[in-house]
Amino acid sequence: MKSDRYKTGWDKLAEIDGKQGEKVVEALKDIAPDFADLLIEFPFGDIYSRPGLDLKSREIATVAALTAMGTATPQLKVHVHGALNVGCTPQEVIEVMIQMAIYAGFPAALNGLFAAKEVFDERGLEISDYQDRVAHR
Amino acid sequence: MKSDRYKTGWDKLAEIDGKQGEKVVEALKDIAPDFADLLIEFPFGDIYSRPGLDLKSREIATVAALTAMGTATPQLKVHVHGALNVGCTPQEVIEVMIQMAIYAGFPAALNGLFAAKEVFDERGLEISDYQDRVAHR
Amino acid sequence: MKSDRYKTGWDKLAEIDGKQGEKVVEALKDIAPDFADLLIEFPFGDIYSRPGLDLKSREIATVAALTAMGTATPQLKVHVHGALNVGCTPQEVIEVMIQMAIYAGFPAALNGLFAAKEVFDERGLEISDYQDRVAHR
Amino acid sequence: MKSDRYKTGWDKLAEIDGKQGEKVVEALKDIAPDFADLLIEFPFGDIYSRPGLDLKSREIATVAALTAMGTATPQLKVHVHGALNVGCTPQEVIEVMIQMAIYAGFPAALNGLFAAKEVFDERGLEISDYQDRVAHR
Amino acid sequence: MKSDRYKTGWDKLAEIDGKQGEKVVEALKDIAPDFADLLIEFPFGDIYSRPGLDLKSREIATVAALTAMGTATPQLKVHVHGALNVGCTPQEVIEVMIQMAIYAGFPAALNGLFAAKEVFDERGLEISDYQDRVAHR
Amino acid sequence: MKSDRYKTGWDKLAEIDGKQGEKVVEALKDIAPDFADLLIEFPFGDIYSRPGLDLKSREIATVAALTAMGTATPQLKVHVHGALNVGCTPQEVIEVMIQMAIYAGFPAALNGLFAAKEVFDERGLEISDYQDRVAHR
């Protein structure tokens, strides 16, 4: 039987990552199903469910960290989806990544932007949806 | 003569990092004064001055990234000041750092929290200012 | 009221890290007491308590990872204590660190060894306890 | 003529990494054959051949470090093979990777687990070989 | 209208990275065209154009850093091209990467060398062009 | 009896790092004297002694990598000494570090510059020795 933390976590995962999160959990079934439980319980049940920081800010923090680290492209893409799901605009995601050039270097920012591009394409976002402003500074 | 980007950057630096930012610029004078100019022009003149993401979100992104990277404690402390200066609450800073345990591990989060503690102490923040909620979850 | 995971975790923390672990929990009280709970529940209650890998191997894994990462000296020192507490010899700790030169470079290994030296000194270990073999290869 | 260290190293490489190690040495022939010699002499001739830590513990240390670093997937896969070759069970490999979530974050652990899955598949391991226990905690 | 820094940067980019640099700028058009401008202005207009260090040394520094970091393979390949474009020999590039084994570990050096191999192949370099010496130490 | 590689390595270490290198070897005596031997034999006997790249370029590569990694301040300081010992000017060291802002972020460059400042001070370098040019760009 699943714990309360699991149930809370599952709902939070669904709210943030939607289908993307479910796919990760599904993929873990063939190698470490226990870890899928831990992934739902701790990050989503314990952390993302905490009060004190709104979900949009939480996703900005995650996108920033994963872009800066540069070692977690699949997870970065899941959280670009997540950021958009909880209310970030594509521009905001792009701005976070551009800003990471300051702290983690241009390659980290570039690789983040190209990952974001893939997610925007998956979601059928039109370039004109988010480039008007940036194209005319 | 300083460039417009420098002037824009200096104002933005003052708005965000206040005295802390000035100290870094001052320290650079004895080793690489040019780099102090670049530091004001590019991160603050070019990036933090961009529209498309509010300053509070920008500081959340920076605190997240520097906590996750774990290689930039002095800069993390400057940006904990910065986050508070532009409107983050101490709780929000703490939440960002706790969340980094998911993405960069518990040591990164712990070292971030201890750096935040030093900044909170420097600013004379009372523990009761930010722990009421967290102490009674 | 503390969860069962907390109680399991606390016992496991005591078994592994002893006084060192308690000090970390104590230090967190002034900044993020909730995170102290999470630290006991997830790493120690959920992970170190799992069957499938003996504690000595778990500490070897942790010492290896923290040495390689090079961003978590305080935590590395806690786990050098931990490794010794659960049955690793000083030589085994040293061997793990030397081996990290292969994967993370000589500076990571060197900095790990100097951290281990501090822990060995804190515990009053005599150099002759662990250098006989290595001094006469 | 190859050095004694080379011969010792070659035997140790064969014992640990088998065909996987040979492939790396072969691939280096077209770009830096000298480095293939150094790879055999230093890591395998000088380090893995040292007494003071058993080979199984050495592979646990390596799998832990490479999982935590997250920058060396091809080498991690070679050493998942290596760990299994020197007596680690699939469960032990999985446990090491799950544990890395604590120190290097969930993405590092996830990416490690998915690399391990590829190796387990290459070796024709049946899921039932290693998931009975973990599926029923 | 583009700034003087942009023009200086564009010329420097063309001198160093040639077609490779243009491709990156092109790819950015669909996601963050502003960032393409910043990439030309700051790294190439502000930094690579500075006196005080010759371009060949600058490329050696970049190849070293990107090899050691291990998180920026596409950018490393661009700068292997760059190093060769500004006068490094293939051997010098290989030596820099081998040397990184000391500071960032063997996997970083190996992955760097395999990236260099791809670039050498793209440029139609014959193995005999650069392996005579290294094959007969 | 020490190997030929040891003797070659010791001479190379003396040429590059001088007193600084000897101090590291001395410090290792109390924790892992074998590793001191390996440190002389592999990095200095096997790598720095290779033809194909001049010592000045090798030190530029090392200073770049250690600045970018940000996890090896003591070793970075040793190699700032080393770079100066083999013919780099203070300006060249500073330029390498400034350039790292592009690839590893401003904090890495800043922390590198402050480490270089300490070394320059230890050597009694006058600021006017290296800032004339940079102060008047």
Side-chain angles (χ1 to χ4, degrees), chain D residues 2 6 23-35 37-43 66 69-75, chain E residues 69-71 94-95 97-99 101 104-111 113-114 116-117 120 127 130-131 133-137:
Chain D
K2 301 297 188 184
Y6 185 91
K23 270 189 230 164
V24 175
V25 170
E26 196 62 34
L28 278 169
K29 286 214 177 125
D30 293 341
I31 176 75
D34 277 17
F35 193 62
D37 288 0
L38 294 171
L39 181 65
I40 289 164
E41 290 171 353
F42 175 69
L66 295 179
M69 292 168 71
T71 50
T73 307
Q75 291 77 25
Chain E
M69 292 168 71
T71 50
I94 291 172
E95 287 301 320
M97 287 171 170
I98 288 178
Q99 188 172 319
F106 277 72
L110 283 166
N111 294 331
L113 286 166
F114 293 132
K117 178 78 172 77
F120 293 177
I127 292 169
Y130 52 90
Q131 281 194 355
R133 182 191 50 75
V134 290
H136 301 91
R137 66 162 179 167

Side-chain angles (χ1 to χ4, degrees), chain C residues 69-71 94-95 97-98 101 104 106-111 113-114 116-117 120 127 130-131 133-137, chain F residues 2 6 23-25 27-35 37-43 66 69-75:
Chain C
M69 293 169 70
T71 50
I94 291 172
E95 287 300 321
M97 286 170 170
I98 288 177
F106 277 72
L110 282 167
N111 295 332
L113 287 165
F114 293 132
K117 177 77 171 76
F120 293 178
I127 291 168
Y130 53 90
Q131 282 195 354
R133 182 189 51 72
V134 290
H136 300 90
R137 66 163 179 168
Chain F
K2 300 298 186 183
Y6 185 92
K23 271 190 228 162
V24 175
V25 169
L28 278 170
K29 285 214 178 125
D30 293 341
I31 176 75
D34 276 17
F35 193 62
D37 288 0
L38 293 171
L39 180 65
I40 289 163
E41 289 171 351
F42 176 68
L66 296 179
M69 292 169 70
T71 50
T73 307
Q75 290 78 24

Side-chain angles (χ1 to χ4, degrees), chain A residues 63-71 73 76 96-116, chain B residues 65 69, chain E residues 35 39 66 69 71-75, chain F residues 101-105:
Chain A
V63 167
L66 296 180
T67 301
M69 292 168 70
T71 50
T73 307
L76 176 58
V96 169
M97 286 169 170
I98 287 177
Q99 187 173 319
M100 290 305 105
I102 305 173
Y103 300 105
F106 278 73
L110 283 167
N111 294 332
L113 286 165
F114 293 131
Chain B
M69 292 168 71
Chain E
F35 193 62
L39 180 65
L66 296 180
M69 292 168 71
T71 50
T73 307
Q75 290 78 24
Chain F
I102 305 173
Y103 300 104

Side-chain angles (χ1 to χ4, degrees), chain E residues 53-54 57-58 60-61 64, chain F residues 55-65 83 88 92 96:
Chain E
L53 189 67
D54 62 285
S57 296
R58 287 195 183 277
I60 283 171
Chain F
L55 268 188
K56 197 180 142 181
S57 296
R58 287 194 183 278
E59 284 301 313
I60 283 171
T62 298
V63 167
C88 291
E92 288 173 324
V96 169

Side-chain angles (χ1 to χ4, degrees), chain E residues 23-86:
Chain E
K23 271 189 229 163
V24 175
V25 170
E26 196 61 33
L28 278 169
K29 285 214 178 123
D30 292 342
I31 175 76
D34 276 16
F35 193 62
D37 288 359
L38 293 171
L39 180 65
I40 289 164
E41 290 170 352
F42 176 69
F44 295 96
D46 286 349
I47 306 284
Y48 278 92
S49 300
R50 287 168 64 87
L53 189 67
D54 62 285
L55 268 188
K56 195 178 145 182
S57 296
R58 287 195 183 277
E59 284 301 315
I60 283 171
T62 299
V63 167
L66 296 180
T67 301
M69 292 168 71
T71 50
T73 307
Q75 290 78 24
L76 176 57
K77 288 177 66 181
V78 168
H79 283 281
V80 171
H81 278 292
L84 299 174
N85 291 344
V86 300

